[in-house]
Amino acid sequence: MIDLAQASLALRNCTQRSLIILDELGKGTNASDGAGLLCGVLKYLLNQGPECPKVLAATHFHDIFGNDLLGSHWPLKQTHMQVISTEVLETHRHGEDPKKTNQVLTFLYNDKLLAHDVVSLLDEAMSGKEIAELKSAESVTRSFCGLDLTKSVNLKQNIAGIIDRTDHMLTIPWTTSDGWGAPRIHPYGPLSLEPCSTVLHYCQTVFEGMKAYRDENGKVTLFRPDMNMRRMVRSAQRVALPSFDGNELIKLIKKLVALDAHWIPQVPGYSLYIRPTLIGNQSALGVGPPNQALLFVICSPVGPYYKGGFKPVKLLATTEYVRAVPGGTGSYKLGANYAPCLIPQAEAMKKGYDQNLWLLGEEHLLTEVGTMNLFVVLKKDDGTIELVTPPLEDVILPGVTRDSVLALARDHAAGLLRLPGLPSKLQVSERAITMGEVKNAAANGQLLEVFGSGTAAIVCPVKTIGYMGSDIPVPVGEEGMGPITKALLDEIVKRQLGVVESEWSVTVTE
């Protein structure tokens, strides 16, 4: 058997002999003896200076012994993660090549067993300045942000907005002659498109926005993916793109999310945004249904929409621009619906507002707020509280969160569900509502709340509506949102995170 001194010397020198020794250790000892011996080797490494490349040895013995031994032998696991943490600190603090730091971080990123504990150790040992410096290189950032930062105080605050995609994507080709081809999950990378692809000229593209969540036990779920699939199929049909089986696509999305589930921190407010997209990619300049299409799905880790607490927004009720009209495409999730909203949004911001409140017709009917569905809370003369949202018809996008808000509120109103914060006398209405009605309600003290709903923020409280040259104030309360907005938000979040069991929550991994 290889003794400790021989193993330690070889590992310190980090010669090819060290790898051979580790192989022999793996083959020639039982699990308990091998773990004890390796603990001794690693502890020796901890006492060496930064010139000793600890991560090479740690990586190699991990490959040999695997997670089973590390998981069953706590002293070995503990020593192992101390080695890796020390290596990260030493390579950074001694100004070594960033590539070496990235090697260590990449090892951590691939080692899900140690990620939580090592990051916790790093969080205790590193200053905020050191963390920021480590994030300066994109390659380092990708490795660092790939960790599950559940136990980290400093690091978990920096995930959102740093990395914009996970490691893998799903692609499925389609042609009129062969139908749907074989789906493929592969590393994230560029798409290859001809310059005359129909998507680039005629905007033949539809997409969806959905999220995966991790609960306190590590279980990963999707929230109401069936609704996203139905909407995507409906949108595709509107612009002559091929239809597909939504249930089958959900199965594939589950596989993609399961593969990249380590990107979802087990921290409240964090999730994995999922973007299924379908484009026409026929190489032709003529306008017509494409004979080729591509469906692809990419994912992106996202943090809390309101990082510093809820911030109610100011809306500009625009009478100059229109988002959608009857008979148009406003109720479909098409790429073509979004770019025309950018200039009105920029103009609203120049005037001191955050978003547009889209109106329709001479009556100035309320439709949507920014890219979200809209809700208004009114107090009627008899004391009943009315939750109003404009009817979908063919102008308003059928939002998944909108449907969730309506379902929960209606169950409460019918006595099927009691939600803390919602009034006992609640009326839920899908009806037309005009700016005139909103203005009068505000003047009479009967306008209680206004909020938007959507996948990104879930709810977005409104504090001001600019209309025809004057501002209409909307109550928001001390928490930045009204009690009805908060009650519905809390209930939806409970279902998303598995706190409340719900058929809306679809399991990806246990």
Side-chain angles (χ1 to χ4, degrees):
M1 178 180 293
I2 304 297
D3 63 22
L4 177 59
Q6 185 180 8
S8 299
L9 179 62
L11 288 170
R12 183 181 181 187
N13 294 331
C14 201
T15 62
Q16 185 63 31
R17 175 64 179 157
S18 65
L19 305 185
I20 296 173
I21 288 173
L22 284 172
D23 284 333
E24 292 178 1
L25 283 173
K27 296 173 183 176
T29 60
N30 60 48
S32 179
D33 291 342
L37 183 57
L38 284 168
C39 263
V41 172
L42 290 175
K43 286 177 180 178
Y44 178 85
L45 289 175
L46 278 172
N47 295 324
Q48 307 308 305
E51 72 280 355
C52 178
K54 305 173 186 63
V55 72
L56 175 63
T59 304
H60 194 71
F61 92 72
H62 180 271
D63 290 342
I64 295 170
F65 287 90
N67 285 340
D68 290 340
L69 179 56
L70 287 173
S72 62
H73 196 280
W74 169 244
L76 176 58
K77 174 185 175 182
Q78 189 176 39
T79 309
H80 189 199
M81 67 186 185
Q82 287 174 345
V83 168
I84 302 301
S85 302
T86 303
E87 182 79 341
V88 171
L89 291 173
E90 286 181 352
T91 54
H92 177 65
R93 288 177 174 170
H94 288 81
E96 296 190 29
D97 187 344
K99 290 182 179 179
K100 184 175 180 182
T101 305
N102 191 45
Q103 178 192 19
V104 183
L105 294 173
T106 301
F107 169 72
L108 273 180
Y109 163 67
N110 290 322
D111 189 343
K112 310 305 182 295
L113 180 68
L114 300 177
H116 294 157
D117 299 308
V118 171
V119 169
S120 190
L121 287 175
L122 287 175
D123 194 42
E124 295 172 3
M126 299 181 75
S127 66
K129 181 181 179 181
E130 286 177 318
I131 292 170
E133 290 173 350
L134 271 176
K135 289 175 174 294
S136 60
E138 181 182 358
S139 57
V140 173
T141 297
R142 283 190 60 78
S143 295
F144 221 111
C145 292
L147 302 176
D148 188 336
L149 307 181
T150 305
K151 298 182 179 180
S152 171
V153 177
N154 295 326
L155 300 181
K156 74 180 182 183
Q157 304 296 331
N158 298 301
I159 301 176
I162 293 175
I163 198 71
D164 59 359
R165 74 269 186 188
T166 59
D167 301 310
H168 299 90
M169 63 188 297
L170 165 69
T171 54
I172 316 172
W174 176 89
T175 64
T176 52
S177 57
D178 299 326
W180 289 105
R184 194 166 68 93
I185 294 177
H186 55 87
Y188 179 96
L191 298 176
S192 177
L193 293 175
E194 291 284 345
C196 56
S197 293
T198 53
V199 64
L200 302 178
H201 299 269
Y202 311 116
C203 211
Q204 285 180 321
T205 176
V206 304
F207 66 92
E208 276 299 323
M210 48 199 291
K211 286 184 176 180
Y213 302 86
R214 187 190 298 276
D215 70 13
E216 60 182 6
N217 298 314
K219 181 180 178 181
V220 176
T221 57
L222 302 174
F223 185 70
R224 308 194 73 181
D226 55 316
M227 287 200 68
N228 293 98
M229 295 300 100
R230 286 198 295 271
R231 187 171 65 181
M232 190 172 180
V233 168
R234 178 175 174 270
S235 297
Q237 293 171 341
R238 181 64 177 84
V239 289
L241 286 169
S243 186
F244 57 89
D245 187 325
N247 291 329
E248 292 302 312
L249 182 55
I250 290 174
K251 293 177 184 177
L252 294 170
I253 290 174
K254 284 183 179 181
K255 292 183 178 180
L256 176 63
V257 171
L259 182 62
D260 281 353
H262 53 275
W263 286 92
I264 315 173
Q266 199 169 341
V267 179
Y270 289 77
S271 57
L272 186 69
Y273 184 80
I274 305 164
R275 171 57 63 87
T277 307
L278 178 58
I279 64 173
N281 62 343
Q282 177 184 355
S283 179
L285 290 179
V287 180
N291 59 26
Q292 287 181 243
L294 178 68
L295 195 159
F296 63 91
V297 182
I298 56 177
C299 304
S300 173
V302 292
Y305 192 83
Y306 301 99
K307 297 178 180 62
F310 277 88
K311 297 177 181 178
V313 299
K314 297 175 63 177
L315 303 181
L316 177 62
T318 178
T319 56
E320 182 179 356
Y321 298 100
V322 177
R323 191 195 78 89
V325 295
T329 60
S331 64
Y332 303 90
K333 202 165 181 65
L334 313 180
N337 287 344
Y338 290 81
C341 298
L342 298 178
I343 294 300
Q345 162 75 10
E347 292 183 3
M349 294 182 72
K350 286 182 180 178
K351 296 177 181 178
Y353 298 91
D354 301 297
Q355 289 283 357
N356 288 109
L357 173 57
W358 300 105
L359 306 179
L360 178 66
E362 294 182 358
E363 296 177 279
H364 291 173
L365 293 163
L366 279 65
T367 60
E368 294 191 3
V369 47
T371 58
M372 307 176 77
N373 293 122
L374 176 69
F375 287 87
V376 179
V377 182
L378 302 171
K379 184 177 182 180
K380 303 179 73 172
D381 292 337
D382 63 358
T384 299
I385 304 302
E386 184 182 17
L387 178 65
V388 182
T389 190
L392 292 175
E393 297 178 343
D394 62 350
V395 174
I396 294 173
L397 186 72
V400 176
T401 309
R402 174 187 184 274
D403 186 85
S404 303
V405 167
L406 288 172
L408 292 172
R410 282 172 173 154
D411 281 353
H412 175 88
L416 302 175
L417 179 70
R418 284 299 173 193
L419 300 184
L422 291 190
S424 56
K425 294 179 64 176
L426 178 67
Q427 177 182 338
V428 183
S429 304
E430 287 185 82
R431 66 170 179 83
I433 181 170
T434 66
M435 273 306 303
E437 182 180 354
V438 170
K439 187 175 181 179
N440 290 335
N444 297 328
Q446 293 177 305
L447 178 62
L448 302 184
E449 300 178 39
V450 177
F451 64 92
S453 69
T455 300
I458 306 178
V459 297
C460 178
V462 175
K463 65 179 180 180
T464 305
I465 300 175
Y467 177 62
M468 303 292 286
S470 62
D471 284 348
I472 301 171
V474 182
V476 291
E478 294 181 358
E479 295 187 65
M481 68 176 75
I484 291 180
T485 305
K486 187 177 187 306
L488 292 166
L489 169 66
D490 290 346
E491 197 65 26
I492 290 175
V493 169
K494 288 176 184 178
R495 282 160 168 73
Q496 290 174 338
L497 298 180
V499 177
V500 172
E501 290 189 12
S502 170
E503 61 183 10
W504 292 349
S505 183
V506 177
T507 300
V508 175
T509 63
E510 294 287 354

